[in-house]
Amino acid sequence: MEFKHTSVLPEESVDNLSIKSNGIYVDGTTGGGGHSRLIADKLSSEGRLIAIDRDKDALDAANRNLKDVKCRVDFVHSNYTEIKSVLNNLNISKIDGALLDLGVSSFQLDNEQRGFSYMKDAPLDMRMDAEDDFSAEDVVNVYSEKDLARIIREYGEEKWASRIAKFIVKERQSGRIETTGQLVEIIKSAIPAGARREGPHPAKRTFQAIRIEVNEELSRLKKAVGEFCEVLNEGGRFCVISFHSLEDRIVKETFNEKSNPCTCPKEFPICVCGKVAEIKKITRKPMTPSREELENNPRSRSSKLRIIERI
């Protein structure tokens, strides 16, 4: 299957990196190379782009998409949460900017064999890195009812989490749950008919929760965002695109802590803790897609872009 993905907030994110033609930039979630291409096009032969992704298919597509750019490009099969190790292996200490697009690519959603979509029957997979040992099938068939309910409630913000977990555990007693189609039917049977008629697809929140759990999308996000801030040169910018409230909250809180780290009581006339800001926020409120982008790419509707600059 050809790797296809429409990058979200492309101009807004790349333009706000304030790219220097000879700088070093990181696309930590390169996908098919949409954002990477826009970054690379602004770099000269003296510039450098580090394109990171956990999905080898994505890196192959990005390699094809960037084969004619002027700058040096390093394609790295890794997780953006390993940014310090990636840079260390490339003998790079600081970078001039970075971009993270935390969404699932259209290719991953549309490729039936990846098991991300609740609209197509496929093996229960959901691994962003196909070389990982742990998949959605493991979550569904091994987790306790209590843990299933917890992740569906916390990561999916699903009010029927306990009931869905109960139905999953009951169903798997008759045999292993192996496909997305099986899971969708279990979720539908767990949610009352009246509730299924309202809002998004009844399986959307549960699938989101399981995907987040499989790929550890939230558990290491805060640390990773902090480390990206730390590896920036002075004046370097960091753009993060998130797609749901849990991601955005972590990014927002981390940026707040880095931009205003003072722990002194509010009544103190001056700061005595000695903690100084490492970054300044470029966006006080997140940027969102234009009406035109929403019409052309409906999957962008929940995206939010936050930007900081290293002081």
Side-chain angles (χ1 to χ4, degrees), residues 283-303:
T283 49
R284 293 294 169 182
K285 293 184 178 180
M287 299 176 71
T288 55
S290 65
R291 182 178 300 176
E292 181 181 1
E293 180 171 2
L294 289 171
E295 290 175 354
N296 294 330
N297 183 17
R299 284 177 175 169
S300 70
R301 63 186 177 275
S302 61
S303 60

Side-chain angles (χ1 to χ4, degrees), residues 93-262:
S93 57
K94 296 286 185 179
I95 60 176
D96 297 298
L99 170 67
L100 290 182
D101 176 348
L102 301 176
V104 181
S105 74
S106 300
F107 171 82
Q108 290 167 332
L109 288 172
D110 295 338
N111 186 342
E112 295 183 15
Q113 295 307 307
R114 300 299 292 271
F116 283 97
S117 177
Y118 44 80
M119 302 299 290
K120 301 170 183 176
D121 191 25
L124 260 178
D125 193 334
M126 302 193 197
R127 292 172 297 171
M128 290 185 178
D129 184 344
E131 295 184 358
D132 286 345
D133 295 327
F134 187 67
S135 71
E137 186 178 339
D138 296 309
V139 173
V140 171
N141 289 285
V142 176
Y143 276 31
S144 67
E145 182 178 330
K146 180 180 179 181
D147 284 338
L148 282 170
R150 174 183 56 80
I151 67 165
I152 295 169
R153 183 182 306 108
E154 292 181 6
Y155 295 164
E157 299 178 293
E158 171 61 74
K159 68 178 181 179
W160 299 104
S162 295
R163 188 172 166 87
I164 292 169
K166 181 178 180 179
F167 274 56
I168 289 173
V169 171
K170 181 180 178 181
E171 183 66 25
R172 73 191 190 194
Q173 290 173 356
S174 303
R176 195 168 177 85
I177 301 167
E178 298 179 332
T179 70
T180 55
Q182 286 176 275
L183 182 57
V184 167
E185 291 306 311
I186 294 167
I187 295 167
K188 285 181 177 179
S189 65
I191 299 177
R196 292 201 306 270
R197 288 193 289 269
E198 300 174 357
H201 190 285
K204 179 179 180 179
R205 296 186 180 93
T206 299
F207 269 61
Q208 171 183 294
I210 295 172
R211 189 201 79 220
I212 289 171
E213 177 70 9
V214 168
N215 297 289
E216 299 181 293
E217 294 176 40
L218 295 179
S219 60
R220 298 163 67 187
L221 179 59
K222 182 179 179 66
K223 180 174 180 289
V225 171
E227 291 187 348
F228 267 91
C229 293
E230 293 167 10
V231 299
L232 288 173
N233 279 318
E234 182 179 335
R237 293 218 175 160
F238 180 32
C239 299
V240 184
I241 301 170
S242 61
F243 285 81
H244 57 79
S245 59
L246 298 173
E247 287 175 340
D248 184 58
R249 189 180 308 143
I250 292 172
V251 175
K252 177 183 177 181
E253 289 175 354
T254 307
F255 284 174
N256 285 342
E257 291 169 9
K258 293 281 187 181
S259 62
N260 184 23
C262 178

Side-chain angles (χ1 to χ4, degrees), residues 17-79:
L17 283 174
S18 297
I19 292 173
K20 299 184 297 183
S21 64
N22 63 346
I24 301 175
Y25 294 86
V26 172
D27 185 346
T29 49
T30 197
H35 287 117
S36 287
R37 177 75 203 209
L38 294 174
I39 295 170
D41 284 344
K42 292 179 179 289
L43 296 173
S44 68
S45 58
E46 296 179 351
R48 188 172 182 180
L49 171 66
I50 295 93
I52 304 170
D53 207 281
R54 343 171 36 164
D55 189 330
K56 282 190 172 180
D57 290 336
L59 286 177
D60 289 342
N63 203 331
R64 293 191 296 271
N65 192 24
L66 276 72
K67 63 183 179 181
D68 60 342
V69 298
K70 295 178 182 178
C71 67
R72 172 177 174 177
V73 183
D74 297 277
F75 296 96
V76 182
H77 180 224
S78 185
N79 191 323

